[in-house]
Amino acid sequence: MTRRHEVLVEVLGPWSLATSRAFWEGFAPAALAAQSEESALRTTFRVERDWSRAEVAVTQRGAAAQVAVTGAGDLEAAAAQACRFLSLDVDARGWPAVGSRDPVIAGAQAQLPGLRPCGFHSPYEAAAWAVLSQRIRIVQAAALRNDLVSRHGDDGAFPAPQVLRRLDVALPGRKLEYLHAVADAAIEGRLDAATLRAGPPEEAVAAVQEIKGLGPFAAELVVLRGANAPDALPHHERRLDDEVTERYGPGRILADVSPAWRPFRTWAAVHLRILREERTREIGGAAR
C-alpha cells in the first residue's frame, strides 16, 4: 500500500535547490523526468533498505528542505537516501572557506552558487551505470539504461537487484555478466552507501573493485558519486586532470592543488567538472 512521509530537513551551509537541479538536469546520465512544479525536484528511485520503489519531491524552504516521499517500503530510509544523493546531509558550513583558500574554487562557487553535488540514487545504480557505460558512448549507455528501466523497472525506477540478477537480455560484450555481479553485490550488502562512507574512501574504492567488472574508474564513481562521499578524489578522471591544468596552469596537477579543498575535495572536483562541461560540451554535445 502506498504511503506518504514528509520531513523538514535543516540544511547546514550554502544550498540552492535551483542550482543543484540545473546541474542534475544538464549533466546526469539519466536526466530528470519532466518536472510539473518549477520549484521542486522530483525523481523516482530504489530504496536501499528494501529495494522498494519510492518517489521524492524536494522543495526549498529558506535554509531547509521539505522532503516528501511516497511508496510502499521504508519511507524514513527513502527520505534519508534522498538527502544523501542530493548532498543535503552534509554540514557544509566550512565550504566557503575552501574558496577563501583557493581563488579558483572561489570562482567556481560564484558561478555555481549554492550547488550541492547530486549523486546517483545509490551506489548500486552508480555501479550499474559504470558497467553500462564501459567502452561505449554516453548516449548509447543512456539508451541501454532507459531500455532496462522501461522493460524491467518499476514505473520509472531502475530494476531492483533481484530482478537484474535474473535478466537474460542481449547487451554488448560482458555487460550482462557484470550487471549480474553488481546485483549480487547489492543483495549481499557490498554496495551499501553508509558502509562505503564510514571509512577512508581509498578503502571503499578498493572494496568496490573486488566486484567483477568494476575497475578503478568505476569504483571511484561508485564511492564518490554513488555513496556521494564529500571528501574524496578521483585519480582516474582525465577530464578533471585537464581542467586542473587549464585553470591552475601548466605543470599543476590534482595532487598539488587538492589539499586546499579538504574536507570537500569531491565537491571542488565536481564544481570544476561542471564548469568544464559547460565550456566544452565534451560529454553532452551541443549547448542546451
Side-chain angles (χ1 to χ4, degrees):
M1 183 173 114
T2 300
R3 295 171 288 107
R4 177 182 173 88
H5 173 69
E6 195 162 338
V7 61
L8 186 67
V9 178
E10 181 184 11
V11 182
L12 301 175
W15 176 51
S16 166
L17 180 63
T19 304
S20 297
R21 172 179 158 169
F23 157 61
W24 188 324
E25 291 176 331
F27 201 66
L32 291 171
Q35 304 285 291
S36 59
E37 185 180 341
E38 186 66 24
S39 62
L41 183 150
R42 300 176 183 274
T43 189
T44 304
F45 61 100
R46 289 286 176 193
V47 183
E48 281 189 292
R49 183 68 59 85
D50 52 21
W51 304 115
S52 60
R53 175 187 180 277
E55 296 181 14
V56 63
V58 181
T59 52
Q60 186 162 1
R61 301 282 184 262
Q66 191 80 33
V67 181
V69 288
T70 57
D74 188 335
L75 297 187
E76 290 189 6
Q81 185 172 333
C83 288
R84 186 189 71 240
F85 65 67
L86 293 174
S87 293
L88 303 180
D89 61 337
V90 176
D91 183 344
R93 287 174 290 186
W95 171 234
V98 177
S100 299
R101 295 191 294 268
D102 186 329
V104 171
I105 299 304
Q109 291 171 335
Q111 290 181 257
L112 300 167
L115 172 72
R116 287 186 174 233
C118 302
F120 288 82
H121 293 138
S122 65
Y124 162 60
E125 289 199 34
W129 171 257
V131 169
L132 291 172
S133 60
Q134 286 175 1
R135 296 183 176 85
I136 62 175
R137 297 171 57 215
I138 294 293
V139 292
Q140 294 173 302
L144 291 178
R145 182 190 183 280
N146 291 342
D147 187 64
L148 287 176
V149 171
S150 63
R151 292 174 178 269
H152 307 286
D154 184 3
D155 194 16
F158 194 75
Q162 298 88 337
V163 173
L164 190 66
R165 184 62 185 86
R166 297 193 301 267
L167 287 187
D168 185 10
V169 296
L171 291 172
R174 301 175 67 182
K175 292 187 187 297
L176 183 62
E177 175 189 357
Y178 295 157
L179 285 177
H180 287 168
V182 165
D184 285 340
I187 292 168
E188 295 163 3
R190 295 161 62 198
L191 287 171
D192 177 70
T195 301
L196 293 177
R197 280 179 61 166
E202 296 78 11
E203 294 181 7
V205 169
V208 172
Q209 284 189 74
E210 296 177 2
I211 301 169
K212 183 186 294 185
L214 300 183
F217 179 87
E220 288 178 350
L221 181 76
V222 169
V223 174
L224 274 65
R225 306 307 311 287
N228 227 10
D231 187 36
L233 279 178
H235 297 288
H236 301 85
E237 175 53 86
R238 175 185 56 79
R239 292 185 179 95
L240 176 60
D241 294 337
D242 291 345
E243 190 64 11
V244 167
T245 300
E246 174 75 23
R247 293 187 177 269
Y248 290 88
R252 303 300 300 280
I253 62 174
L254 188 61
D256 296 332
V257 302
S258 58
W261 302 350
R262 291 179 181 272
F264 297 98
R265 289 176 296 168
T266 307
W267 284 33
V270 167
H271 276 64
L272 294 184
R273 285 290 290 109
I274 292 173
L275 293 181
R276 180 176 182 84
E277 175 64 13
E278 289 293 317
R279 187 180 73 255
T280 67
R281 304 294 176 180
E282 57 193 348
I283 293 178
R288 295 190 300 273

